Amino acid sequence: MKMLTNILSSVLRPRGAAGQLWGQGSAALMWTDFWELSMRALAPFMTAVRGAGGNSTTEATFETRPYKLHRLEEPPLPSTTCTRDDALLYYRQMQIIRRLESASGNLYKEKAIRGFCHLYSGQEAICVGIRAALRSEDSVITAYRDHGWAYVMGCSVVGVMAELTGRSQGVARGKGGSMHMYAKNFFGGNGIVGAQVPVGAGVALANKYLGRKAICVSLYGDGAANQGQLFEAYNMAKLMNLPAVFICENNGYGMGTSVDRASASINYYTRGDYVPGIWIDGMDVLSVREALRYSIDYCTTGGPSGNGRGPLVLEVATYRYHGHSMSDPGTSYRTRDEIQEVRQTRDPYNALQGTYCWRRLGHCGGA
Amino acid sequence: MVGVLQKLSVAWRLGRQAVFRPVVQAGWQHVRNSSHFTYYPDTVPESHDETQRLNLFQAINNALDLALATDDSAVIFGEDVGFGGVFRCTIGLQDKFGKDRVFNTPLCEQGIAGFAIGSAVGGATTIAEMQFADYIFPAFDQIVNEAAKYRYRSGNLFNCGKLTIRAPCGAVGHGGLYHSQSPEAYFSHTPGLKVVVPRGPIKAKGLLLSCIRDDNPCIFLEPKVLYRSAVEMVPTSDYTYPLSSADILLEGEDITLLGWGTQVHVLREVAELAREQLNVSCEVIDLVTILPWDQQTVCNSVKKTGRLIVAHEAPVTSGFGAEIAAAVQSECFLHLEAPVERVCGFDTPFPHIFEPFYLPDKWRCLSAVKKMMNY
């Protein structure tokens, strides 16, 4: 244990206080810094996995956070197991996304990234949790907050960064920029609010028609939840019993408007009406993962003639630390205290760190 | 042997540098010039006494302020307009006129358009904002099928002439696919609408007030790159400009250059370059209103100069330049010294990284002038 603490402190020392390393960072992080820091920060965790050996458990059971259900009898499982390797993987993915977004923010300020840039910080547990449940044949389509998604769906960090800076090495050859990244079974970031949702229903149609037992996950924000085409998509998906999972990432604000000022009903998981829904705490990666496992089972089994039971509408409650886009400081419609409180009490990787990694799976991070 | 190894090692180092160079340099060598034009401010009309220094968004804010103050039925709504909108065009209006007259809507463009049409038909002067012109397409059906046809199909018993839809359009240097488009040509294909694009603060204020008070549904497309960069001494009074009236900004003898919005400023620079480098006298016209357009002013000019270049940012195929070219060849055929030339965006989606190559910048326009003079 002492050895790990030493390693950790040696990692942190060059950058000063520990808090500065993860946080907003006073100095602008450069490209090279980013890699160096990532690798340096991750090193002790790797060491821990290799070195800890016999004195820690390799698997533990955790309770998922309570779900709310709409037109469903059975909730997702109240507890789930997580292996040490999985916990470290989720932690690593969330860390990389958080740092990727910090680096993107800084590069944007330096005008190396131009155009429109929407950061995912605070919402990482959603893409990491969903990705953890998906099988290789399942597909995903999301809106413009897509850097983290591109990464978990298989793009390299360099590919994402090169795309952001408009380089030909980018995942879309530099043509798409921040909002448009693609990978296998990842049908992209989409620039127009809500437009990806009916497209996702169409991908689900193709899955069903071509006999793949695969689902399509369509993500949209609480702002997009008020677009008319979503309701058209719900209807067609239910009518044709498509293996489509519509996921509303409710981060509390559609651009600068809070949910209660934009939506007559803020229970987004019930807004499919005839489509069953689940509310999930999106700050807890294992609750998200478990709900998605449930959804895959629901959408692919138990229905007529060997098909699934049709679409689902999920709402994952989350929070975004940055403004809507880089031109929005994100403080004119909410208080700094509110952001700070979420960072301190609900932050997804602090939660993972506190619950799984450190306490239950044998102090794999050292502290 | 050692020499060979050294060479190999140097080659490897160089190769490695080449691989990483774009990434390493991303931070500091990838700064693009954000504007492709030089702004040519308008001068103050002599009839106006008092003026104030305003940029484009402030001039629009000023016009909206006047519209709300002079018309009790006027309302403004759109995404985030309550706190001023993303471009600050509606800043302060909610505080001044109240939340029942200036209010936010959810993110639902089709809903906003339909809601605005209903409100206009119902008798309220309605000013709806689309956050970007690129987002107007979900509302396309409402605008084309409901707003434009209301008067005709009801035998003039109903109309939504009190409707004005504002939307920021055009290239901004780094907007990418969905924050840069110029959709004026789509709407030009719809009788019943008026489509207006201002070139600067003075015109914008007068034209926006004209649109708001015009008895037909108007689409007011504001070149967003000018919001902050275009600054003029704008009259403080309440004034309007006639719609469907093109402005001759520079008189010339040899060739007519026609554009609207930001492109007008590109063309004014082209006129200077043509005079200096080619000794060609250009006539520069701002079309101002895309629909219904001022065919007479354009044709009179072409009959005088015998040559016409139309330049716009939207893609060339079926851009509004095509309509102008067709009308001009029909009206001025025997006066033409060369075929009408269109210098426009290419037929590609609006590129993110290749925007400088996509835009009809001064060099492409100047080269067209040269080509036409030598025809």
Side-chain angles (χ1 to χ4, degrees):
Chain A
M1 204 62 249
K2 196 177 171 206
M3 182 196 78
L4 287 175
T5 319
N6 286 343
I7 295 172
L8 194 66
S9 57
S10 72
V11 167
L12 298 178
R13 203 176 299 123
R15 280 276 155 180
Q20 261 188 343
L21 183 74
W22 315 123
Q24 302 292 292
S26 46
L29 281 173
M30 284 310 303
W31 243 109
T32 42
D33 288 342
F34 172 74
W35 265 117
E36 196 190 325
L37 274 176
S38 295
M39 289 305 118
R40 233 196 287 150
L42 290 168
F45 307 140
M46 308 300 182
T47 318
V49 177
R50 272 185 260 115
N55 59 11
S56 66
T57 47
T58 54
E59 190 172 282
T61 305
F62 303 97
E63 285 180 12
T64 51
R65 309 241 172 111
Y67 299 100
K68 294 184 213 165
L69 301 181
H70 170 68
R71 293 193 183 222
L72 283 173
E73 302 287 318
E74 283 292 311
L77 293 176
S79 69
T80 182
T81 57
C82 180
T83 65
R84 181 188 179 81
D85 288 350
D86 283 345
L88 282 168
L89 172 69
Y90 306 155
Y91 188 81
R92 180 189 154 91
Q93 286 181 327
M94 287 200 279
Q95 273 286 4
I96 288 183
I97 297 169
R98 179 71 57 93
R99 283 147 166 277
L100 178 67
E101 296 299 52
S102 302
S104 305
N106 290 329
L107 285 172
Y108 193 91
K109 284 169 196 143
E110 289 166 21
K111 297 195 172 181
I113 296 173
R114 305 303 308 271
F116 288 76
C117 182
H118 309 79
L119 305 182
Y120 205 57
S121 303
Q123 305 182 205
E124 299 93 340
I126 299 175
C127 71
V128 172
I130 295 174
R131 182 68 190 89
L134 292 185
R135 304 150 312 162
S136 62
E137 64 268 33
D138 296 324
S139 40
V140 174
I141 187 166
T142 186
Y144 37 75
R145 214 175 289 287
D146 65 343
H147 311 166
W149 266 109
Y151 169 67
V152 297
M153 290 302 285
C155 299
S156 69
V157 173
V158 171
V160 171
M161 277 300 194
E163 187 59 41
L164 283 164
T165 47
R167 303 280 155 179
S168 58
Q169 300 93 324
V171 298
R173 297 174 188 163
K175 296 242 168 102
S178 164
M179 303 198 293
H180 311 288
M181 298 187 183
Y182 301 82
K184 181 169 184 288
N185 284 345
F186 177 49
F187 289 79
N190 287 262
I192 298 298
V193 171
Q196 75 279 12
V197 181
V199 177
V203 174
L205 170 67
N207 283 342
K208 186 179 177 190
Y209 181 69
L210 298 173
R212 306 171 190 139
K213 290 278 180 190
I215 66 161
C216 181
V217 173
S218 312
L219 296 115
Y220 53 93
D222 49 276
N226 296 318
Q227 286 275 355
Q229 46 187 337
L230 265 80
F231 297 90
E232 300 179 23
Y234 296 159
N235 182 49
M236 285 192 287
K238 185 67 182 169
L239 187 69
M240 304 173 77
N241 235 27
L242 301 179
V245 182
F246 302 108
I247 302 186
C248 176
E249 296 182 75
N250 179 1
N251 61 24
Y253 299 90
M255 294 195 290
T257 307
S258 64
V259 287
D260 52 323
R261 290 194 291 130
S263 298
S265 162
I266 59 168
N267 294 320
Y268 294 99
Y269 68 107
T270 66
R271 289 179 64 170
D273 186 10
Y274 39 80
V275 182
I278 310 171
W279 180 94
I280 303 151
D281 184 338
M283 294 306 214
D284 181 53
V285 65
L286 292 187
S287 299
V288 175
R289 187 187 71 175
E290 204 46 45
L292 256 289
R293 286 180 174 168
Y294 175 96
S295 306
I296 292 170
D297 181 58
Y298 185 93
C299 292
T300 53
T301 63
S305 59
N307 287 317
R309 282 163 277 177
L312 286 173
V313 173
L314 311 189
E315 173 185 354
V316 278
T318 184
Y319 198 81
R320 72 168 142 75
Y321 294 151
H322 297 281
H324 164 72
S325 69
M326 294 308 297
S327 50
D328 167 22
T331 47
S332 57
Y333 46 85
R334 56 183 185 179
T335 61
R336 286 181 196 280
D337 290 345
E338 179 185 307
I339 305 168
Q340 203 51 38
E341 196 198 321
V342 178
R343 274 187 186 276
Q344 281 163 4
T345 60
R346 288 172 58 203
D347 187 87
Y349 74 66
N350 284 347
L352 183 67
Q353 180 177 318
T355 312
Y356 314 123
C357 208
W358 267 245
R359 209 168 62 228
R360 303 291 297 280
L361 284 174
H363 306 279
C364 50
Chain B
M1 187 62 202
V2 172
V4 172
L5 277 178
Q6 264 176 348
K7 271 181 198 159
L8 274 175
S9 118
V10 167
W12 156 242
R13 253 183 284 136
L14 286 175
R16 199 172 52 167
Q17 273 172 5
V19 169
F20 289 113
R21 192 176 301 131
V23 174
V24 173
Q25 290 178 347
W28 49 91
Q29 288 211 342
H30 188 57
V31 178
R32 249 185 279 154
N33 293 325
S34 62
S35 66
H36 60 285
F37 64 96
T38 308
Y39 187 72
Y40 286 72
D42 282 350
T43 46
V44 194
E46 283 171 15
S47 53
H48 298 282
D49 304 331
E50 207 180 325
T51 58
Q52 54 185 334
R53 195 180 143 84
L54 298 180
N55 63 24
L56 180 63
F57 83 73
Q58 290 165 329
I60 284 164
N61 183 270
N62 189 218
L64 294 172
D65 191 340
L66 282 168
L68 287 166
T70 54
D71 181 349
D72 286 341
S73 79
V75 289
I76 295 179
F77 53 82
E79 291 160 14
D80 287 338
V81 298
F83 72 81
V86 290
F87 293 110
R88 321 313 287 155
C89 292
T90 52
I91 196 162
L93 298 179
Q94 190 176 60
D95 292 338
K96 191 167 174 186
F97 296 99
K99 286 184 174 175
D100 52 342
R101 298 188 68 192
V102 181
F103 54 91
N104 288 345
T105 61
L107 312 187
C108 51
E109 289 77 12
Q110 186 174 18
I112 294 171
F115 197 51
I117 292 165
S119 145
V121 174
T125 298
T126 306
I127 305 152
E129 179 180 306
M130 296 289 156
Q131 196 163 58
F132 284 87
D134 311 65
Y135 305 169
I136 209 166
F137 299 111
F140 198 65
D141 171 62
Q142 283 286 346
I143 295 168
V144 169
N145 281 332
E146 307 305 322
K149 298 171 176 54
Y150 227 114
R151 187 192 297 277
Y152 184 89
R153 75 188 188 197
S154 69
N156 205 19
L157 292 174
F158 287 89
N159 68 78
C160 59
K162 289 174 177 291
L163 172 67
T164 303
I165 294 175
R166 296 177 40 243
C169 71
V172 71
H174 54 271
L177 290 93
Y178 297 115
H179 297 87
S180 308
Q181 297 174 83
S182 301
E184 69 273 1
Y186 291 104
F187 296 103
S188 71
H189 203 55
T190 309
L193 296 178
K194 290 195 175 181
V195 183
V196 178
V197 188
R199 66 169 180 273
I202 296 174
K203 286 297 281 187
K205 180 179 171 183
L207 288 167
L208 181 54
L209 283 167
S210 297
C211 284
I212 291 168
R213 292 163 187 171
D214 191 87
D215 208 15
N216 295 284
C218 295
I219 296 177
F220 194 74
L221 298 171
E222 301 157 7
K224 64 177 99 62
V225 72
L226 302 180
Y227 274 137
R228 286 170 194 273
S229 62
V231 181
E232 286 169 358
M233 297 305 292
V234 181
T236 50
S237 60
D238 187 333
Y239 63 95
T240 56
Y241 284 118
L243 301 182
S244 297
S245 169
D247 292 343
I248 299 174
L249 301 176
L250 183 71
E251 298 211 0
E253 301 301 320
D254 301 326
I255 185 164
T256 304
L257 308 180
L258 176 62
W260 48 89
T262 318
Q263 196 62 22
V264 169
H265 304 289
V266 176
L267 294 177
R268 292 191 71 163
E269 195 173 352
V270 171
E272 281 185 10
L273 291 171
R275 181 169 49 79
E276 288 160 12
Q277 297 183 8
L278 311 173
N279 198 25
V280 168
S281 154
C282 298
E283 180 144 310
V284 178
I285 300 182
D286 176 6
L287 191 63
V288 182
T289 307
I290 309 301
L291 187 76
W293 64 288
D294 185 356
Q295 198 168 331
Q296 195 172 3
T297 301
V298 175
C299 288
N300 286 347
S301 171
V302 176
K303 282 174 186 168
K304 179 175 75 175
T305 61
R307 299 176 184 88
L308 173 66
I309 291 178
V310 191
H312 55 66
E313 290 177 10
V316 61
T317 299
S318 293
F320 197 65
E323 173 59 32
I324 294 170
V328 164
Q329 67 83 19
S330 166
E331 291 297 312
C332 316
F333 187 67
L334 295 177
H335 296 83
L336 288 177
E337 302 287 344
V340 177
E341 189 72 20
R342 290 175 289 160
V343 187
C344 307
F346 294 112
D347 288 336
T348 68
F350 198 100
H352 169 227
I353 197 75
F354 297 131
E355 177 177 322
F357 308 111
Y358 169 90
L359 289 176
D361 63 2
K362 58 187 172 188
W363 305 117
R364 277 175 63 196
C365 293
L366 186 66
S367 131
V369 172
K370 216 180 280 180
K371 180 178 150 195
M372 289 191 77
M373 295 312 295
N374 297 328
Y375 183 79

